[in-house]
Amino acid sequence: MTLIFSTLVTILIVLLVSGLYRQLVLEQQNQVDKHLAAEMQRYQQLALTVNRRSFAAQIRAADPKTALIAWRSNVDMVGSLTFLPEDMPLLPKTKDFPIFTGGPDKLHILTGGIVMTRYGPVLIATRTDQFSALIDKFFNAAFWAVAFALAITLALGYVFSKAILRRLVEYNRLSEQVAAGHYQTRLPVSKQQDEFDMLAKQFNLVLDSLEQNLLAVRGVTDNIAHDLRTPLSHLRIGIEQLVYKPPEQLHDAAADLLEELDDCLVTFDAMLSLTRIEEGQQTLDLQTVSLSELSQDLFDMAEVLAEAKEQTLTISVHKDVHIQGDKNLLFRALFNLLDNAIKYSPEGANIAIEQKGKQIIIKDNGPGIPDEDKERVFGRLVRLDPSRHYKGTGLGLSMVKAILSRHQAEITLSDNNPGLVVSIKF
């Protein structure tokens, strides 16, 4: 990056200097041409207005600093030269030629040409070697300007590159720590808020998500070990005791063991089903679903369960709304919520199903859920302490959240004082 940047700066400066040099040369040439053209017109007019003697006197009196004038009369050379240079072109064409003087600068370079007058050819020239000296100074200044700019860009580029590399080395070192298992490591974010800080923030978000997922996996593992330890222990004890049971009790004992084993298999099947739904591996059977009819189906299915616990189940249906979704999965999710309301509410509780447009609400008078657990209950195999004496896998609400997420629906839990309010908004 430093070399490319320095090269670009050098090229730009060289192009700028070249443009200035070309402009300077063109301007100088233009000034010389204008000056010679003015002198040519002057002496042409002079030759037409004065006699030969006055013309020679005017040439002798010409200031060589303004223009060098030379004229060969019938007798001798008149002006600043002792002879006319050969092959001088007619103005406005010009030619450079040297002359020698007795001063400190013995060699002068002039640019000029011949103008034809009534009294013959006259050489008109102007000194241009000062311009050559100016060009030398210009090139000398341009060289040092390019060298200075190149040195500055290389130095600044080196400092800039070292600053970038220092941060990259730091990021690489920290990423190696993450790869080694130190997932609490985070990349530093400076106050500059530059592109590296944006990258560090995004990387830290990824690390936060990774750490949360790892904690979730560990939590699921712990929950699996906790929830399956008891049934598996029962299975082991039951198998050991089979040999001591009389033949007439073997059938009942085997049936009990199979039921325990089925509960374990149900847990694993539910976890696999949940994964397929979350990962989008299970295709949705999309159809038009009436939320009013869905709510009525929930009521019809759960009414018997509520009556068995002497609970009052009511339904309130407002303006019907149709959505696109998998009716079986939606019914499974909503019935799980309603079944929980019936299961955890005491006898004589009031449970209500309410449908308002794109929203379905389930209310109960049960124990409710503490605020700090309202998000945690949607995790896999999470079972709050009051629910552990009820039979279940701890995957019900996880399944509900996954199904509703696939249907772009939001679920929120709030207090009913007492009880719980579950709101699903499609």
Side-chain angles (χ1 to χ4, degrees):
M1 288 177 61
T2 301
L3 293 176
I4 292 174
F5 179 70
S6 301
T7 302
L8 290 176
V9 170
T10 303
I11 291 175
L12 289 176
I13 294 178
V14 169
L15 291 176
L16 178 62
V17 169
S18 300
L20 291 175
Y21 171 74
R22 178 176 175 81
Q23 190 66 26
L24 184 63
V25 170
L26 291 177
E27 182 64 23
Q28 177 66 21
Q29 186 64 43
N30 187 41
Q31 293 293 332
V32 170
D33 291 342
K34 285 183 179 180
H35 181 60
L36 292 178
E39 293 296 320
M40 177 182 69
Q41 186 176 7
R42 175 188 172 192
Y43 282 96
Q44 285 177 338
Q45 292 295 329
L46 182 65
L48 295 175
T49 56
V50 299
N51 56 32
R52 182 182 292 270
R53 181 177 297 178
S54 298
F55 185 73
Q58 288 286 342
I59 292 178
R60 290 190 185 96
D63 185 1
K65 296 181 179 180
T66 302
L68 188 145
I69 310 299
W71 171 55
R72 181 185 294 277
S73 67
N74 295 334
V75 180
D76 57 358
M77 285 292 299
V78 178
S80 302
L81 298 179
T82 56
F83 65 93
L84 290 178
E86 298 181 356
D87 301 326
M88 292 300 295
L90 294 176
L91 291 176
K93 293 182 179 180
T94 60
K95 180 181 178 181
D96 296 339
F97 62 94
I99 63 171
F100 291 92
T101 66
D105 297 331
K106 294 184 178 181
L107 179 64
H108 291 173
I109 303 297
L110 293 96
T111 300
I114 299 296
V115 57
M116 300 304 297
T117 68
R118 190 174 66 161
Y119 300 120
V122 176
L123 174 66
I124 301 177
T126 184
R127 186 176 175 182
T128 56
D129 51 358
Q130 301 96 330
F131 178 66
S132 299
L134 179 62
I135 292 296
D136 291 339
K137 293 180 180 179
F138 176 80
F139 275 116
N140 187 51
F143 170 78
W144 287 110
V146 172
F148 179 75
L150 184 59
I152 289 295
T153 53
L154 285 173
L156 293 178
Y158 176 77
V159 173
F160 179 69
S161 299
K162 290 294 290 184
I164 292 178
L165 289 176
R166 188 182 304 113
R167 298 178 73 178
L168 289 178
V169 169
E170 178 69 8
Y171 288 179
N172 185 60
R173 184 182 65 81
L174 294 175
S175 64
E176 289 177 351
Q177 292 184 10
V178 175
H182 302 285
Y183 301 112
Q184 73 280 3
T185 304
R186 296 295 182 271
L187 300 186
V189 179
S190 67
K191 297 181 180 179
Q192 300 175 8
Q193 299 299 315
D194 56 12
E195 291 81 359
F196 283 93
D197 293 320
M198 295 171 60
L199 177 63
K201 288 180 179 179
Q202 191 63 34
F203 192 73
N204 289 340
L205 289 176
V206 173
L207 290 177
D208 291 340
S209 178
L210 175 62
E211 190 173 17
Q212 291 175 3
N213 290 336
L214 289 174
L215 291 175
V217 170
R218 292 169 183 169
V220 168
T221 304
D222 293 340
N223 289 330
I224 290 176
H226 185 276
D227 286 355
L228 295 185
R229 179 184 181 88
T230 299
L232 291 177
S233 298
H234 290 169
L235 283 173
R236 188 179 188 282
I237 295 172
I239 293 173
E240 289 178 345
Q241 292 178 349
L242 282 179
V243 294
Y244 303 108
K245 290 185 179 295
E248 62 273 10
Q249 296 181 4
L250 286 178
H251 182 272
D252 295 336
D256 293 338
L257 293 177
L258 287 175
E259 184 178 358
E260 291 277 359
L261 184 58
D262 287 339
D263 290 339
C264 296
L265 294 176
V266 165
T267 299
F268 286 108
D269 288 341
M271 292 180 65
L272 293 174
S273 179
L274 176 59
T275 300
R276 286 194 295 268
I277 293 174
E278 287 179 339
E279 300 296 329
Q281 299 173 0
Q282 180 171 337
T283 304
L284 299 181
D285 182 15
L286 295 179
Q287 56 185 297
T288 301
V289 179
S290 167
L291 294 186
S292 295
E293 293 179 3
L294 184 61
S295 300
Q296 189 62 50
D297 291 341
L298 290 172
F299 177 80
D300 295 339
M301 181 67 71
E303 188 176 16
V304 177
L305 298 177
E307 290 178 353
K309 290 190 67 175
E310 299 180 358
Q311 296 169 338
T312 301
L313 180 63
T314 60
I315 183 171
S316 175
V317 176
H318 298 270
K319 182 180 179 181
D320 191 16
V321 172
H322 293 80
I323 63 170
Q324 291 294 317
D326 190 319
K327 186 174 182 179
N328 292 329
L329 283 179
L330 287 174
F331 182 85
R332 176 180 176 182
L334 296 178
F335 185 79
N336 188 294
L337 296 172
L338 186 57
D339 183 56
N340 283 347
I342 295 172
K343 182 189 300 182
Y344 298 115
S345 296
E347 293 183 358
N350 295 317
I351 300 171
I353 304 172
E354 187 176 357
Q355 181 259 322
K356 296 179 179 179
K358 293 185 177 181
Q359 194 171 22
I360 294 179
I361 301 172
I362 300 174
K363 302 178 181 179
D364 64 59
N365 300 130
I369 297 177
D371 291 339
E372 62 271 15
D373 293 327
K374 282 187 171 63
E375 287 297 327
R376 193 171 69 90
V377 292
F378 292 108
R380 293 191 179 196
L381 297 174
V382 173
R383 302 186 69 190
L384 303 182
D385 290 337
S387 66
R388 288 202 173 270
H389 62 278
Y390 290 99
K391 188 176 181 180
T393 63
L395 294 170
L397 290 181
S398 300
M399 187 73 69
V400 169
K401 186 69 174 289
I403 293 173
L404 294 179
S405 296
R406 287 292 304 277
H407 289 82
Q408 289 81 48
E410 297 179 0
I411 179 171
T412 56
L413 306 180
S414 58
D415 293 328
N416 197 30
N417 299 317
L420 185 68
V421 177
V422 182
S423 177
I424 301 99
K425 185 176 181 181
F426 290 93

